[in-house]
mmCIF file of all heavy atoms in Angstrom:
data_model
loop_
_atom_site.group_PDB
_atom_site.id
_atom_site.type_symbol
_atom_site.label_atom_id
_atom_site.label_comp_id
_atom_site.label_asym_id
_atom_site.label_seq_id
_atom_site.Cartn_x
_atom_site.Cartn_y
_atom_site.Cartn_z
ATOM 1 N N ALA J 794 92.516 -82.382 9.260
ATOM 2 C CA ALA J 794 93.974 -82.211 9.301
ATOM 3 C C ALA J 794 94.671 -83.407 8.656
ATOM 4 O O ALA J 794 95.672 -83.242 7.964
ATOM 5 C CB ALA J 794 94.435 -82.042 10.744
ATOM 6 N N LEU J 796 93.506 -85.215 6.222
ATOM 7 C CA LEU J 796 93.359 -85.079 4.772
ATOM 8 C C LEU J 796 94.356 -84.072 4.220
ATOM 9 O O LEU J 796 94.951 -84.285 3.162
ATOM 10 C CB LEU J 796 91.932 -84.639 4.420
ATOM 11 C CG LEU J 796 90.830 -85.664 4.634
ATOM 12 C CD1 LEU J 796 89.474 -85.029 4.365
ATOM 13 C CD2 LEU J 796 91.028 -86.854 3.737
ATOM 14 N N GLY J 821 72.131 -82.569 0.325
ATOM 15 C CA GLY J 821 72.573 -83.799 0.972
ATOM 16 C C GLY J 821 73.796 -84.451 0.369
ATOM 17 O O GLY J 821 74.036 -85.619 0.628
ATOM 18 N N TYR J 824 76.296 -85.424 3.106
ATOM 19 C CA TYR J 824 75.778 -86.562 3.872
ATOM 20 C C TYR J 824 76.069 -87.875 3.148
ATOM 21 O O TYR J 824 76.380 -88.872 3.778
ATOM 22 C CB TYR J 824 74.275 -86.386 4.096
ATOM 23 C CG TYR J 824 73.627 -87.567 4.753
ATOM 24 C CD1 TYR J 824 73.820 -87.817 6.114
ATOM 25 C CD2 TYR J 824 72.840 -88.454 4.033
ATOM 26 C CE1 TYR J 824 73.237 -88.902 6.734
ATOM 27 C CE2 TYR J 824 72.248 -89.541 4.640
ATOM 28 C CZ TYR J 824 72.453 -89.762 5.990
ATOM 29 O OH TYR J 824 71.883 -90.837 6.595
ATOM 30 N N GLN J 843 85.685 -92.817 -17.955
ATOM 31 C CA GLN J 843 85.041 -92.368 -19.192
ATOM 32 C C GLN J 843 85.542 -90.996 -19.629
ATOM 33 O O GLN J 843 85.466 -90.658 -20.804
ATOM 34 C CB GLN J 843 83.525 -92.349 -19.024
ATOM 35 C CG GLN J 843 82.938 -93.741 -18.948
ATOM 36 C CD GLN J 843 81.479 -93.752 -18.534
ATOM 37 O OE1 GLN J 843 80.969 -92.783 -17.996
ATOM 38 N NE2 GLN J 843 80.816 -94.875 -18.778
ATOM 39 N N ILE J 864 90.357 -94.342 7.671
ATOM 40 C CA ILE J 864 91.141 -93.625 8.673
ATOM 41 C C ILE J 864 90.372 -92.455 9.277
ATOM 42 O O ILE J 864 90.281 -92.328 10.490
ATOM 43 C CB ILE J 864 92.478 -93.125 8.077
ATOM 44 C CG1 ILE J 864 93.254 -94.278 7.450
ATOM 45 C CG2 ILE J 864 93.300 -92.388 9.117
ATOM 46 C CD1 ILE J 864 93.656 -95.378 8.394
ATOM 47 N N CYS J 867 86.729 -93.850 10.259
ATOM 48 C CA CYS J 867 86.810 -95.158 10.931
ATOM 49 C C CYS J 867 85.649 -96.062 10.521
ATOM 50 O O CYS J 867 85.058 -96.761 11.340
ATOM 51 C CB CYS J 867 86.847 -94.979 12.450
ATOM 52 S SG CYS J 867 88.295 -94.091 13.015
ATOM 53 N N THR J 868 85.295 -96.027 9.243
ATOM 54 C CA THR J 868 84.238 -96.857 8.687
ATOM 55 C C THR J 868 84.842 -97.677 7.557
ATOM 56 O O THR J 868 84.976 -97.194 6.439
ATOM 57 C CB THR J 868 83.090 -95.983 8.120
ATOM 58 O OG1 THR J 868 82.703 -95.047 9.101
ATOM 59 C CG2 THR J 868 81.926 -96.823 7.691
ATOM 60 N N PRO J 869 85.253 -98.911 7.829
ATOM 61 C CA PRO J 869 85.887 -99.701 6.769
ATOM 62 C C PRO J 869 84.932 -99.985 5.613
ATOM 63 O O PRO J 869 83.750 -100.248 5.828
ATOM 64 C CB PRO J 869 86.302 -100.995 7.451
ATOM 65 C CG PRO J 869 85.762 -100.953 8.823
ATOM 66 C CD PRO J 869 85.149 -99.622 9.080
ATOM 67 N N PRO J 884 110.978 -96.992 -23.927
ATOM 68 C CA PRO J 884 111.775 -95.774 -24.085
ATOM 69 C C PRO J 884 112.248 -95.606 -25.528
ATOM 70 O O PRO J 884 112.388 -96.585 -26.271
ATOM 71 C CB PRO J 884 112.964 -95.999 -23.154
ATOM 72 C CG PRO J 884 113.066 -97.473 -23.024
ATOM 73 C CD PRO J 884 111.667 -98.009 -23.154
ATOM 74 N N ILE J 885 112.484 -94.374 -25.917
ATOM 75 C CA ILE J 885 113.030 -94.091 -27.242
ATOM 76 C C ILE J 885 114.543 -94.254 -27.143
ATOM 77 O O ILE J 885 115.203 -93.578 -26.352
ATOM 78 C CB ILE J 885 112.661 -92.659 -27.693
ATOM 79 C CG1 ILE J 885 111.148 -92.535 -27.797
ATOM 80 C CG2 ILE J 885 113.344 -92.327 -29.006
ATOM 81 C CD1 ILE J 885 110.673 -91.114 -28.027
ATOM 82 N N THR J 900 129.501 -78.024 -27.214
ATOM 83 C CA THR J 900 130.866 -77.492 -27.205
ATOM 84 C C THR J 900 131.479 -77.474 -25.811
ATOM 85 O O THR J 900 132.701 -77.568 -25.681
ATOM 86 C CB THR J 900 130.879 -76.057 -27.774
ATOM 87 O OG1 THR J 900 129.981 -75.250 -27.021
ATOM 88 C CG2 THR J 900 130.477 -76.052 -29.238
ATOM 89 N N LEU J 916 122.138 -93.476 -16.811
ATOM 90 C CA LEU J 916 121.742 -92.721 -15.624
ATOM 91 C C LEU J 916 120.520 -91.851 -15.903
ATOM 92 O O LEU J 916 120.288 -91.432 -17.033
ATOM 93 C CB LEU J 916 122.893 -91.813 -15.172
ATOM 94 C CG LEU J 916 124.240 -92.470 -14.879
ATOM 95 C CD1 LEU J 916 125.255 -91.420 -14.445
ATOM 96 C CD2 LEU J 916 124.094 -93.544 -13.833
ATOM 97 N N ILE J 922 123.018 -85.118 -12.363
ATOM 98 C CA ILE J 922 123.164 -83.820 -11.693
ATOM 99 C C ILE J 922 123.772 -83.973 -10.308
ATOM 100 O O ILE J 922 124.617 -83.178 -9.897
ATOM 101 C CB ILE J 922 121.791 -83.114 -11.616
ATOM 102 C CG1 ILE J 922 121.358 -82.706 -13.016
ATOM 103 C CG2 ILE J 922 121.834 -81.912 -10.696
ATOM 104 C CD1 ILE J 922 119.939 -82.219 -13.098
ATOM 105 N N ARG J 925 129.051 -86.918 -8.085
ATOM 106 C CA ARG J 925 130.294 -86.248 -7.718
ATOM 107 C C ARG J 925 131.468 -87.115 -8.172
ATOM 108 O O ARG J 925 131.307 -88.304 -8.430
ATOM 109 C CB ARG J 925 130.358 -86.043 -6.206
ATOM 110 C CG ARG J 925 129.235 -85.161 -5.687
ATOM 111 C CD ARG J 925 129.274 -85.052 -4.203
ATOM 112 N NE ARG J 925 129.417 -86.396 -3.634
ATOM 113 C CZ ARG J 925 129.389 -86.662 -2.343
ATOM 114 N NH1 ARG J 925 129.213 -85.715 -1.488
ATOM 115 N NH2 ARG J 925 129.528 -87.902 -1.905
ATOM 116 N N VAL J 926 132.629 -86.510 -8.268
ATOM 117 C CA VAL J 926 133.826 -87.233 -8.721
ATOM 118 C C VAL J 926 134.135 -88.378 -7.754
ATOM 119 O O VAL J 926 134.555 -89.457 -8.179
ATOM 120 C CB VAL J 926 135.031 -86.275 -8.841
ATOM 121 C CG1 VAL J 926 136.306 -87.020 -9.218
ATOM 122 C CG2 VAL J 926 134.745 -85.196 -9.867
ATOM 123 N N GLN J 927 133.893 -88.173 -6.457
ATOM 124 C CA GLN J 927 134.176 -89.204 -5.463
ATOM 125 C C GLN J 927 133.310 -90.446 -5.660
ATOM 126 O O GLN J 927 133.655 -91.528 -5.180
ATOM 127 C CB GLN J 927 133.918 -88.682 -4.033
ATOM 128 C CG GLN J 927 134.774 -87.515 -3.633
ATOM 129 C CD GLN J 927 134.107 -86.174 -3.940
ATOM 130 O OE1 GLN J 927 133.347 -86.054 -4.893
ATOM 131 N NE2 GLN J 927 134.427 -85.166 -3.149
ATOM 132 N N CYS J 935 133.314 -98.624 -11.671
ATOM 133 C CA CYS J 935 131.954 -98.550 -11.126
ATOM 134 C C CYS J 935 131.607 -97.123 -10.730
ATOM 135 O O CYS J 935 132.480 -96.314 -10.426
ATOM 136 C CB CYS J 935 131.833 -99.434 -9.886
ATOM 137 S SG CYS J 935 131.998 -101.178 -10.232
#
Side-chain angles (χ1 to χ4, degrees):
L796 290 175
Y824 174 74
Q843 289 170 342
I864 306 298
C867 297
T868 309
I885 298 171
T900 56
L916 304 180
I922 291 170
R925 298 176 312 185
V926 176
Q927 298 92 329
C935 294

